[in-house]
Amino acid sequence: MIPEYLWAKKTNDGELWHPLVLHLIDVAAVAEKILSREPASTRSMFANAFNLSWHEAKPLILFLVACHDIGKASPGFQLKWKEKRTVLENLGIKLPKLPDISINHAFITQLAIERFLKELGWSENLAMYCADAVGCHHGARATSTVLNDLEGNRHGVDDRNWSPIWQNIFKSLCTLFAIKNVPSKSTLSGAEFMLLAGLTSFADWIGSNEEWFPFGNIDHCDDLSGWFKKSQEKAKRALDSIGWENRSPLAIEYRNFTEIFPECVPPRPLQETVVKAMSETKTPGVFLIEAPMGEGKTEAAFYAYMELQRQFGHRGMYMALPTKATGNAMFKRVLKFLRFFSSRRTLDLQLIHGASQLNDAFQKLRINQICSDDGGGGICASEWFTHKKRALLSEYGVGTIDQALVTILPVRHYFVRLWGLANRVVIFDEIHAYDAYTGTLLFHCVRWLRALGASVILLSATLSPEFRRRLAEALGTTLPKQEEAYPRLTVFTGDECKQIGFTTEGSRCQTIAIEPIDSVLTTIEICLREKKSENIFTGVVVNTVQRAQELYTLLGDGDIIEVDANIVGKRLPDGTEVNLFHARYPAGERQRREDYVLSVYGKNQGNGGQLKKRNGQHILIATQVVEQSLDLDFDFLISDLAPIDLILQRAGRLWRHQRKERPFLHPILCVAGVAGDSVGSFGSPLWWNKVYREDILLRTWSVLKAHGSKIVLPNEIDSLVRNVYDDFVMPTDKEMVEKLEKAEIDGEGNCFAQRSMAHRAVIGLPDDGSWKDANRFYLYDEDEPGVHHTLKAMTRLGEDSVTAIPLFLSDNYDPLIEPDFAIAKQWSIRSISLSRLWVIKKLRSKGVPAGWKKQPLLRNYYPMLFDNNGNWTENDMVKLDRELGILYKMKEG
């Protein structure tokens, strides 16, 4: 009778309380409904974890999930409700006078489950890791020190009083779920551990919601089977309400490529190659697509997802991009793709990054949804999944690579995020864009995803040979001795690797004239004036924000151009429109500029799909934010010197679409910093060596100098990248050799250090036992305020940063007052990331104001007050300019 009087949840006044055993059953019912809506492949993964059929494994899994809170049957938890002492003592339970109510009941759960499973005959390791997976459902695993401290009688959890209670609950649950089988498995693999841990936490989040699971009472404990049936109905309604529907494939029947993408008729060679490869693939795998810009890699990846899901039962898709801007652009493309399939059932699609509230397409989807006329389906963005820990549980997602990589870093509930990507298709776009640290995390992430039954698709136009080698090594295989020529598809399935070469469309081959110029900004200004034409759309991509701001200012004053009262550029006296785009604008302003840039310099299609005629003289000055995934089309391009793969990415924005009229016979790319017979300094005042590895810049400089006055894309992409990264020929110039040797020592040293940091940063690996180590220090999410960057889980290396909210006198800011939702949302749209060390120190010394800590939209931000002239009130060396963004009135360094 005693377990019926143990509580799991209560109202603040204690008038109502929910018996513990009923809560355990609620959560098991949720787990049962979650798994019933999963594809059969997911259920098979759970069954295989115990070497049982699904019919045999299902009761065991529900039993384990149900046991998740059995540790609440302990004095440390029960006496958090002081009034319970008398009730329990009257039942004959001896209680400590001063119980430690700070004890984590989930870790007591772990001790109790492990003990009981061993008594049932489970192997020691299997019992230990199943108990660990269930016991960590509050976000963190128990260390051996913590568990040893909880053992015995020191905290009032003694065998005489509480073990019989645990046994009573365990036996009741065994009877309810008809537990008969003892698994033959000796332990859990890393992937199996994450599956069980993730499911338990997810089910507990749902089953603990009082709106969906109202409190029961002691009378309900007399019929646990009846309560379970009622809980199953509640679980069904709860999952319906959050948009967790049956994970059925987009396409049940085979569809050819042109059925899905009628605009791609006929399919390009890349797309035909992917179609053929999917038809020959027998298991989930890792697929690396290397092909030039504009060849239809994204559509090929979407088709691959559809076929992989149809064949292997994958449960959804996540698209990982390098930046928020590229994620925003991809979100619209994924939305368009999913609309083709959304009439049969509702699909949930999330935009997963820190500025998703600024994306109009996503916000409209959240508010209005997109439903079919007959009510049979549609696309929604459920509010429940917008929480950062839940976002990856959504069926479809688009976001940054950071969201995927944080799943393998030691943050709280990392296993829930991993569970969200399990048995999915995860697409990583623009994978060349990462340094050694983030790239190493990517390899580890791919290993985990593969172990969790996912398929992975990797996309790039300009990839170094070293990346392919390291990817093959991470997957336990090797590349073919004689690799296929670029472009190519590399397929990793099982322990095999094969490559398929293909051609590109002949009409897309173009010769780009290369003109070296000096790095001085006045030289760029002269070049812009010399290359003027009646109708010309020019891009200038520079390596630092300050350089972009200075060049924009150097071009002279003009009339401000506004759209909806927001500045988007200026018009010079000769009629030329100049736009500035970089990452040092408040978030809302940056989004508006991104939208405007795409509308002016993008594809510019009419209603009939035809490209519109473009008129006038336009110059876009930007940083690396336009380098990847944004569909921009320039007639003429100037670029600062950068690593060769990024130079080629920027060149891919030249003549991107087939327009009838162009101002020149051939596309022209001017590269700043390449003019002259000797290489200059990449340090002060350029600071390019703070952005890119100096040895790669020197190699790129040398290769471009030797290559000549033109490059042919895409034919020379692979050879140029290889000549810089793999087959570099050392120059004969003594000064250049000395510079290069010193830079290579520094570069290789930094690269080794970054890889070492990445190896140490992860939760371990799925196949070598390192994941078993629970003695890890749990880190904070990257956006957590007031935390030193060394205590944050970093998906990218770089300078420490904070996110601030610019405020003005007219905002009537009061640090003690909690802003209401409307004001908080308005202010949060202004957020801006800052990395200057002295600015960070000043903001952190002030801290997050008390009023903001109560407001969910603002608690991660620091206020930054500016006067009416835009000067920061703490230090007027910082200015917020409506036209230029954040200005530092000093040289970068």
Side-chain angles (χ1 to χ4, degrees):
M1 182 178 78
I2 292 173
E4 288 86 334
Y5 286 90
L6 301 178
W7 67 284
K9 296 154 63 65
K10 69 178 184 69
T11 56
N12 290 334
D13 58 11
E15 287 293 319
L16 297 174
W17 60 279
H18 195 42
L20 173 59
V21 69
L22 300 186
H23 171 65
L24 304 182
I25 293 171
D26 289 342
V27 174
V30 175
E32 192 271 338
K33 287 304 175 186
I34 289 171
L35 292 174
S36 72
R37 298 185 180 197
E38 284 284 305
S41 54
T42 299
R43 294 192 289 273
S44 293
M45 291 167 62
F46 275 92
N48 292 338
F50 298 97
N51 278 349
L52 298 170
S53 68
W54 171 244
H55 176 75
E56 296 169 318
K58 178 181 174 181
L60 289 179
I61 294 166
L62 299 187
F63 167 75
L64 288 171
V65 173
C67 292
H68 75 288
D69 262 353
I70 204 167
K72 287 184 175 179
S74 63
F77 180 85
Q78 290 298 311
L79 295 182
K80 288 182 179 181
W81 186 7
K82 296 179 181 179
E83 287 77 6
K84 269 293 178 180
R85 174 180 287 274
T86 302
V87 174
L88 296 176
E89 287 180 337
N90 289 340
L91 291 170
I93 299 177
K94 185 178 179 180
L95 298 169
K97 292 182 179 179
L98 297 173
D100 183 359
I101 60 174
S102 67
I103 292 175
N104 189 327
H105 65 268
F107 297 160
I108 297 178
T109 289
Q110 183 173 339
L111 293 172
I113 293 177
E114 182 179 349
R115 185 184 303 177
F116 183 72
L117 293 181
K118 288 177 182 177
E119 291 174 2
L120 286 181
W122 290 40
S123 72
E124 183 172 344
N125 278 340
L126 185 63
M128 178 172 60
Y129 289 117
C130 284
D132 188 354
V134 172
C136 67
H137 65 275
H138 284 304
R141 295 172 64 186
T143 66
S144 56
T145 302
V146 168
L147 293 176
N148 289 336
D149 191 46
L150 288 174
E151 288 274 24
N153 197 28
R154 277 172 289 177
H155 295 283
V157 184
D158 60 283
D159 288 344
R160 187 173 66 83
N161 280 293
W162 293 96
S163 283
I165 297 174
W166 295 343
Q167 288 283 344
N168 194 332
I169 298 173
F170 280 132
K171 289 177 180 178
S172 297
L173 295 175
C174 283
T175 300
L176 175 64
F177 297 113
I179 301 300
K180 300 176 182 177
N181 299 296
V182 174
S184 60
K185 280 284 289 288
S186 60
T187 189
L188 291 179
S189 69
E192 292 161 353
F193 178 94
M194 301 306 164
L195 288 174
L196 181 57
L199 174 66
T200 304
S201 288
F202 180 22
D204 187 44
W205 289 348
I206 302 292
S208 297
N209 189 308
E210 296 166 24
E211 180 181 347
W212 297 321
F213 291 87
F215 292 172
N217 56 54
I218 293 179
D219 294 337
H220 293 120
C221 297
D222 295 334
D223 182 12
L224 298 185
S225 178
W227 183 263
F228 182 57
K229 290 178 181 178
K230 292 177 181 176
S231 295
Q232 287 175 304
E233 289 301 313
K234 296 171 189 173
K236 178 180 180 299
R237 290 192 292 270
L239 293 178
D240 288 344
S241 69
I242 69 169
W244 184 278
E245 298 203 1
N246 289 317
R247 298 307 199 234
S248 56
L250 289 184
I252 299 174
E253 304 285 335
Y254 171 79
R255 299 193 184 193
N256 63 42
F257 190 87
T258 53
E259 282 185 88
I260 311 303
F261 302 104
E263 68 274 18
C264 298
V265 179
R268 294 171 183 164
L270 155 66
Q271 296 161 345
E272 291 177 332
T273 300
V274 169
V275 169
K276 186 174 186 296
M278 292 303 105
S279 68
E280 296 172 350
T281 298
K282 305 303 180 186
T283 62
V286 178
F287 306 86
L288 171 60
I289 301 175
E290 298 173 82
M293 298 70 73
E295 281 294 313
K297 292 190 292 293
T298 301
E299 288 79 10
F302 288 166
Y303 181 84
Y305 160 67
M306 187 189 70
E307 275 299 286
L308 290 168
Q309 183 192 47
R310 187 181 68 85
Q311 295 181 66
F312 308 123
H314 291 308
R315 52 201 284 270
M317 178 179 76
Y318 180 69
M319 192 102 184
L321 285 301
T323 64
K324 295 173 185 177
T326 54
N328 290 338
M330 188 58 68
F331 181 79
K332 296 177 182 178
R333 298 178 71 177
V334 173
L335 182 57
K336 178 183 177 182
F337 168 65
L338 292 180
R339 281 176 180 166
F340 187 86
F341 301 96
S342 63
S343 61
R344 188 165 54 86
R345 69 176 180 86
T346 300
L347 308 173
D348 192 87
L349 171 63
Q350 298 290 327
L351 179 60
I352 308 173
H353 62 59
S356 60
Q357 75 271 21
L358 306 177
N359 185 281
D360 288 341
F362 178 59
Q363 293 306 315
K364 289 176 182 176
L365 186 60
R366 287 181 60 190
I367 296 170
N368 302 320
Q369 302 188 9
I370 300 172
C371 299
S372 60
D373 294 336
D374 60 5
I379 302 177
C380 71
S382 172
E383 184 72 27
W384 195 84
F385 294 109
T386 58
H387 189 284
K388 64 183 177 184
K389 287 184 181 180
R390 305 170 187 160
L392 290 178
L393 296 173
S394 174
E395 186 174 11
Y396 292 95
V398 178
T400 60
I401 188 176
D402 310 88
Q403 306 300 325
L405 297 185
V406 79
T407 64
I408 61 166
L409 298 180
V411 297
R412 294 181 65 84
H413 288 108
Y414 65 85
F415 40 82
V416 181
R417 295 168 173 179
L418 256 183
W419 193 91
L421 292 183
N423 197 19
R424 297 265 288 274
V425 174
V426 183
I427 303 172
F428 294 96
D429 198 6
E430 310 284 8
I431 56 172
H432 57 272
Y434 307 114
D435 61 15
Y437 176 82
T438 302
T440 302
L441 292 183
L442 174 59
F443 295 135
H444 291 328
C445 184
V446 171
R447 288 177 71 173
W448 270 107
L449 292 172
R450 193 181 189 192
L452 286 160
S455 285
V456 179
I457 301 172
L458 304 158
L459 307 177
S460 180
T462 54
L463 202 61
S464 68
E466 183 186 18
F467 185 99
R468 290 193 300 278
R469 290 194 294 268
R470 294 190 65 216
L471 176 63
E473 181 183 353
L475 296 173
T477 186
T478 57
L479 296 170
K481 290 183 179 180
Q482 184 61 47
E483 289 198 82
E484 290 287 340
Y486 177 91
R488 62 188 150 247
L489 168 65
T490 308
V491 179
F492 301 91
T493 52
D495 57 358
E496 296 182 350
C497 170
K498 69 174 183 178
Q499 288 185 330
I500 307 167
F502 52 89
T503 60
T504 55
E505 290 187 343
S507 62
R508 301 187 65 81
C509 184
Q510 61 181 5
T511 299
I512 298 177
I514 302 295
E515 297 184 5
I517 61 174
D518 193 88
S519 62
V520 179
L521 290 179
T522 52
T523 304
I524 296 179
E525 179 199 14
I526 292 170
C527 184
L528 288 170
R529 299 190 188 283
E530 288 178 345
K531 290 293 194 294
K532 275 191 177 178
S533 180
E534 183 178 351
N535 295 308
I536 183 170
F537 285 68
T538 299
V540 184
V541 184
V542 295
N543 291 339
T544 66
V545 173
Q546 179 170 309
R547 190 166 161 85
Q549 292 169 330
E550 290 177 353
L551 178 58
Y552 180 87
T553 304
L554 184 64
L555 292 182
D557 295 330
D559 296 329
I560 295 299
I561 301 173
E562 292 186 316
V563 174
D564 297 329
N566 298 296
I567 297 176
V568 294
K570 63 185 176 184
R571 194 174 308 282
L572 302 180
D574 65 358
T576 301
E577 178 178 335
V578 185
N579 308 108
L580 179 64
F581 182 39
H582 55 71
R584 213 185 281 165
Y585 286 106
E589 176 65 17
R590 176 176 169 174
Q591 184 65 57
R592 285 188 289 270
R593 285 179 178 262
E594 178 186 320
D595 294 341
Y596 184 77
V597 164
L598 284 168
S599 71
V600 174
Y601 301 90
K603 197 169 185 178
N604 298 128
Q605 280 181 302
N607 293 331
Q610 299 297 315
L611 298 182
K612 296 179 182 177
K613 183 179 179 180
R614 304 198 301 187
N615 298 307
Q617 300 175 26
H618 297 262
I619 299 173
L620 173 63
I621 299 170
T623 56
Q624 296 90 335
V625 293
V626 300
E627 191 170 86
Q628 296 148 347
S629 292
L630 292 184
D631 190 2
L632 303 178
D633 182 5
F634 298 118
D635 298 313
F636 166 56
L637 182 66
I638 301 174
S639 170
D640 278 348
L641 179 67
I644 188 65
D645 46 334
L646 303 184
I647 288 285
L648 294 171
Q649 283 288 333
R650 296 173 186 184
R653 272 62 197 159
L654 272 169
W655 293 30
R656 189 173 176 88
H657 299 294
Q658 301 297 314
R659 301 186 186 278
K660 294 180 181 179
E661 298 179 3
R662 294 287 186 180
F664 309 115
L665 292 178
H666 297 287
I668 301 172
L669 171 63
C670 292
V671 184
V674 182
D677 296 329
S678 62
V679 65
S681 170
F682 296 134
S684 176
L686 295 177
W687 300 115
W688 293 354
N689 60 354
K690 300 298 183 183
V691 182
Y692 303 115
R693 277 180 55 172
E694 186 162 1
D695 58 326
I696 303 302
L697 290 176
L698 290 168
R699 288 180 173 214
T700 300
W701 185 92
S702 182
V703 167
L704 287 176
K705 293 292 287 185
H707 190 75
S709 60
K710 63 182 180 181
I711 56 175
V712 181
L713 299 183
N715 299 12
E716 294 182 322
I717 287 178
D718 200 42
S719 61
L720 284 167
V721 173
R722 188 179 294 274
N723 288 343
V724 168
Y725 286 97
D726 236 36
D727 301 329
F728 180 71
V729 177
M730 187 67 75
T732 57
D733 179 79
K734 183 179 179 181
E735 182 183 356
M736 178 67 168
V737 170
E738 290 177 352
K739 278 188 174 184
L740 191 53
E741 287 178 344
K742 181 181 184 302
E744 284 181 343
I745 291 172
D746 293 340
E748 289 300 322
N750 289 334
C751 188
F752 179 81
Q754 288 182 18
R755 288 174 182 165
S756 298
M757 288 179 65
H759 292 318
R760 295 193 302 269
V762 298
I763 57 174
L765 296 172
D767 44 15
D768 67 358
S770 55
W771 66 269
K772 296 177 181 179
D773 181 13
N775 295 292
R776 297 182 187 276
F777 183 81
Y778 279 81
L779 299 170
Y780 295 90
D781 282 352
E782 285 181 294
D783 60 356
E784 192 73 25
V787 176
H788 195 272
H789 70 99
T790 57
L791 300 179
K792 295 181 181 181
M794 295 185 293
T795 55
R796 311 184 196 219
L797 293 183
E799 297 173 309
D800 190 12
S801 64
V802 297
T803 305
I805 303 287
L807 295 171
F808 303 90
L809 296 177
S810 59
D811 289 314
N812 297 317
Y813 161 72
D814 187 328
L816 300 179
I817 296 177
E818 177 187 353
D820 63 31
F821 180 82
I823 292 176
K825 184 175 182 181
Q826 175 191 338
W827 288 355
S828 68
I829 289 174
R830 303 178 189 173
S831 64
I832 186 168
S833 181
L834 304 172
S835 58
R836 287 297 173 92
L837 183 59
W838 58 275
V839 175
I840 292 172
K841 287 182 177 179
K842 175 62 73 172
L843 290 173
R844 283 185 175 153
S845 69
K846 296 286 185 179
V848 178
W852 286 24
K853 290 179 179 179
K854 304 172 186 177
Q855 171 51 254
L857 289 178
L858 297 176
R859 62 188 175 200
N860 292 335
Y861 301 129
Y862 295 88
M864 195 172 186
L865 275 65
F866 293 86
D867 63 25
N868 291 333
N869 295 318
N871 295 310
W872 187 25
T873 56
E874 295 289 338
N875 190 322
D876 64 4
M877 297 301 289
V878 180
K879 182 176 181 178
L880 177 56
D881 187 276
R882 288 187 65 207
E883 195 170 1
L884 300 176
I886 287 285
L887 282 169
Y888 296 111
K889 301 176 189 178
M890 58 183 71
K891 293 293 183 183
E892 291 190 349

